């Protein structure tokens, strides 16, 4: 039975629903709710996310055996219904679903592509908080992005790493996989003895159970699912009490932010300089962008060539091979821009990448390197001394309007996105510009924002007429005539 296409409310269909309801102990009223939408109609990833509910918390328990690549998982998803629901969708790509329960009762489910449709035994009234438990197993998939890069679950020589931008997280846990639905997470990972298992946030406990090691991670601040990570392997783990004076989470008294790094043993030496910078970068970011938004920090360095990119996974970016300081700055800047202030849709990627790129320019400027103005000029002139790869590709499309899902991580989103910010800085001056960056990070802290939200915020708070910048630099086609 295909539960995705709920039968129209003809008499026979209604009778079937009622019988189903009785058979599963439904308390009646099944005809009032309607199915939650299968996707949020994101322009680039229309099936990503699901309608009709918001997730409050994910409790994910994983058991992984590197030798076989087999993962067993249980996802406990606590969500609130935003409409009366007769059924709802989760995004889940690959693996086998063994069992689904809603509020302790067995639920029917159906799968079609990335859509896992769940029909609880009784309808969920609007406003109700409900808990879905999905038990699953198998060898998780590696997902190929529209741009050809890999995400999802990626095996390494002695373990695996999970990265999710934009839609890879559905390969290892079912959920509402769109950045607009942020939630809290607890991730528990069981691995054979001798392996480390790393995720986002704080390691609350590490225990031994039946000869295996159990790691309990807690992400205490809201997180978009694409920023969730798990890394399993024989990592070199180091912890330190933290970066002083950067402020704790959500109103906590200023205190050290604990640093937790996990590094591929062969890369420890090469990674050390960039990792040693983490406290400095966090302190610098806290001055430039406002208090560091999370209660922990760190990094995961996976073997060279595991991924073709680094990812700003929340509190603990993943680097494929040893990072350099600039890349560290970029991924740390995302903790403010992208992770705390997350995009409302994948069209808003430049709010992540333009800002993180501009942070690299600022870091250099603040340390006596090229100024952002010099870098802006060099990029405008496509000066290969400053940008060896300069080939005019950042003029391909306006940063806030990638032509397709395969372009959301292209150069215009990063470099021309950064240039938009520099144009604003030129127009409003340093004082107002840095107040804008801090104000924006504070105004949308732990939330979501769109491009229109940002331009409206900048217009309002700077009191300047920025419309020409938006029109030409953010939304216009081709290379602007004047710098
Ligand atoms: N957001 C990552 C960064 O800028 C890059 C992710 C690249 N992903 C991709 N599918 N191209 O650090
Ligand atoms: Zn980035």
């Amino acid at each position: 039975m295909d539960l995705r296409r709920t039968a129209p409310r003809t008499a026979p269909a209604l009778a079937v629903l009622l019988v189903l309801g009785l058979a599963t102990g439904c308390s009646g009223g099944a005809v009032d709710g309607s199915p939650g939408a299968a996707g949020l109609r994101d322009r680039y990833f229309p099936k990503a996310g699901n309608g009709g509910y918001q997730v409050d918390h994910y409790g994910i328990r994983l058991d992984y055996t590197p030798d076989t690549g087999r993962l067993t998982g249980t996802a406990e998803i606590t969500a609130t219904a935003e409409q009366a629901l007769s059924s709802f969708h989760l995004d889940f790509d690959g693996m086998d679903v063994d069992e689904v329960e809603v509020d302790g009762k067995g639920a029917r489910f159906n799968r079609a592509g990335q859509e896992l449709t769940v029909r609880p035994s009784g309808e969920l009234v609007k406003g109700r908080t409900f808990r879905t438990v999905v038990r699953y197993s198998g060898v998780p998939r590696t997902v190929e992005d529209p741009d050809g890069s890999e995400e999802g679950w990626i095996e390494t020589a002695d373990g695996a790493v999970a990265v999710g931008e934009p839609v890879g997280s559905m390969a290892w846990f079912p959920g509402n996989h769109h950045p607009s639905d942020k939630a809290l997470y607890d991730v528990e990972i069981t691995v054979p003895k001798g392996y480390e298992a790393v995720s986002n946030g704080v390691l609350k406990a590490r225990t031994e159970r039946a000869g295996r090691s159990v790691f309990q991670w807690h992400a205490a601040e809201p997180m978009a699912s694409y920023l969730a990570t798990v890394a399993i392997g024989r990592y070199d783990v180091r912890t330190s009490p933290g970066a002083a004076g950067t402020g704790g989470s959500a109103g906590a008294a200023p205190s050290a932010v604990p640093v937790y790094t996990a590094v591929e043993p062969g890369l420890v030496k090469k990674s050390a300089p960039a990792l040693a910078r983490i406290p400095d970068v966090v302190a610098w970011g806290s001055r430039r962008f406002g208090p560091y938004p999370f209660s922990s920090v760190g990094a995961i360095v996976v073997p060279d060539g595991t991924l073709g990119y680094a990812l700003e996974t929340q509190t603990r970016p993943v680097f494929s091979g040893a990072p350099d300081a600039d890349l560290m700055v970029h991924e740390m800047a995302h903790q403010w821009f992208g992770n705390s202030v997350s995009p409302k849709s994948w069209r808003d990627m430049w709010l992540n990448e333009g800002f993180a790129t501009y942070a690299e320019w600022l870091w250099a400027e603040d340390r006596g390197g090229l100024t952002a103005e010099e870098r802006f000029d060099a990029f405008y002139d496509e000066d290969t001394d400053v940008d060896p790869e300069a080939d005019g590709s950042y003029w391909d499309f306006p940063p806030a309007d990638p032509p397709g899902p395969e372009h959301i991580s292209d150069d215009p989103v990063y470099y021309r996105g950064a240039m938009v910010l520099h144009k604003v800085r030129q127009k409003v001056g340093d004082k107002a510009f840095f107040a804008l960056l801090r104000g924006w990070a504070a105004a949308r802290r732990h939330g979501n924002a769109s491009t229109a939200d940002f331009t409206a915020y900048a217009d309002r708070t700077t009191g300047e007429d920025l419309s020409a910048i938006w029109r030409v630099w953010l939304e216009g086609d081709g290379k602007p005539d004047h710098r």
Side-chain angles (χ1 to χ4, degrees):
M1 176 179 177
D2 183 357
L3 295 180
R4 285 197 317 149
R5 263 167 249 125
T6 298
R9 290 183 195 170
T10 56
L14 193 58
V16 170
L17 283 176
L18 286 174
V19 169
L20 273 177
L22 288 174
T24 54
C26 167
S27 49
V31 293
D32 294 335
S34 51
L40 292 174
R41 299 162 165 254
D42 187 282
R43 189 208 276 192
Y44 301 97
F45 299 92
K47 286 189 289 186
N50 305 284
Y53 66 92
Q54 289 266 331
V55 178
D56 307 310
H57 180 263
Y58 290 93
I60 301 167
R61 276 201 303 281
L62 305 174
D63 189 307
Y64 188 64
T65 304
D67 284 352
T68 60
R70 203 178 145 79
L71 179 71
T72 308
T74 304
E76 274 189 27
I77 304 163
T78 308
T80 303
E82 294 181 306
Q83 63 173 70
L85 287 168
S86 55
S87 65
F88 61 90
H89 286 238
L90 294 166
D91 301 312
F92 195 34
D93 185 5
M95 300 191 69
D96 296 316
V97 174
D98 304 314
E99 191 178 24
V100 180
E101 278 174 18
V102 176
D103 286 338
K105 287 188 199 151
R108 295 170 149 264
F109 63 92
N110 176 69
R111 300 189 74 186
Q114 69 178 56
E115 300 298 325
L116 166 61
T117 311
V118 177
R119 170 139 22 201
S121 62
E123 98 167 34
L124 302 167
V125 297
K126 183 175 175 178
R128 161 138 164 219
T129 296
F130 60 101
R131 178 177 295 195
T132 306
V133 177
V134 181
R135 284 183 247 282
Y136 55 100
S137 56
V139 174
R141 294 191 52 188
T142 297
V143 176
E144 190 181 307
D145 272 345
D147 70 9
S149 56
E150 289 190 336
E151 54 178 269
W153 191 268
I154 293 152
E155 291 187 10
T156 57
D158 62 2
V161 62
V163 286
E165 188 182 40
V167 291
S169 293
M170 61 181 77
W172 61 281
F173 66 98
N176 200 19
H177 289 296
H178 188 266
S180 57
D181 188 4
K182 297 168 80 164
L184 305 182
Y185 286 70
D186 281 276
V187 177
E188 182 189 289
I189 312 149
T190 302
V191 290
K193 253 195 202 156
Y195 287 85
E196 302 289 335
V198 190
S199 186
N200 314 90
V202 178
L203 182 61
K204 295 192 68 173
R206 178 192 177 143
T207 52
E208 303 286 320
R209 197 187 290 158
R212 291 167 81 80
S213 303
V214 184
F215 296 79
Q216 283 173 262
W217 288 93
H218 175 62
E221 296 90 16
M223 180 163 77
S225 77
Y226 76 92
L227 297 168
T229 189
V230 161
I232 295 161
R234 300 183 186 274
Y235 292 107
D236 181 276
V237 168
R238 312 232 172 143
T239 59
S240 80
T246 48
S249 72
S255 64
V257 180
V259 183
Y260 187 109
T261 59
V263 181
E264 170 67 18
L267 296 170
V268 168
K269 212 168 153 213
K270 213 173 153 204
S271 305
L275 297 182
R277 291 241 101 119
I278 292 174
D280 285 354
V281 175
V282 169
W284 170 80
S286 302
R287 286 195 303 276
R288 278 290 184 217
F289 314 132
Y292 178 71
F294 303 110
S295 47
S296 62
V297 72
I300 300 169
V301 180
V302 300
D304 265 315
T306 304
L307 306 168
Y309 54 87
L311 188 64
E312 64 268 24
T313 42
Q314 194 147 302
T315 68
R316 200 152 289 119
V318 171
F319 298 96
S320 181
D324 62 19
D326 282 346
L327 191 55
M328 180 60 71
V329 168
H330 181 101
E331 305 309 337
M332 285 299 158
H334 275 307
Q335 306 305 315
W336 284 263
F337 304 111
N339 300 8
S340 171
V341 183
S342 303
K344 266 189 189 161
S345 78
W346 289 113
R347 187 180 177 172
D348 305 311
M349 262 294 258
W350 83 278
L351 293 176
N352 293 9
E353 303 305 345
F355 281 63
T357 301
Y358 198 71
E360 291 179 67
W361 297 8
L362 281 177
W363 169 261
E365 174 175 315
D366 284 351
R367 303 180 69 79
L370 283 188
T371 63
E373 178 82 11
E374 287 165 337
R375 205 170 301 260
F376 173 91
D377 288 347
F379 271 74
Y380 187 86
D381 295 337
E382 297 160 35
D383 177 351
T384 49
D385 289 341
V386 171
D387 175 18
E389 274 144 50
D391 58 0
S393 57
Y394 22 87
W395 314 119
D396 284 354
F397 57 81
D401 199 12
E406 67 279 32
H407 296 295
I408 64 167
S409 296
D410 283 3
D411 285 358
V413 175
Y414 285 70
Y415 302 109
R416 191 166 157 189
M419 294 171 94
V420 170
L421 292 178
H422 194 70
K423 290 302 295 179
V424 174
R425 183 177 173 187
Q426 286 177 338
K427 173 92 183 169
V428 305
D430 279 8
K431 189 154 179 278
F433 178 72
F434 290 113
L436 170 65
L437 291 185
R438 277 192 299 274
W440 175 243
R444 297 288 172 153
R445 179 179 166 94
H446 296 158
N448 291 87
S450 65
T451 299
D453 293 329
F454 176 70
T455 56
Y457 180 85
D459 289 342
R460 182 158 51 78
T461 57
T462 65
E464 298 274 357
D465 179 8
L466 302 171
S467 56
I469 296 173
W470 309 141
R471 195 177 61 248
V472 174
W473 285 86
L474 185 58
E475 287 146 15
D477 282 320
K479 181 174 180 172
D481 291 338
H482 304 286
R483 11 164 120 134

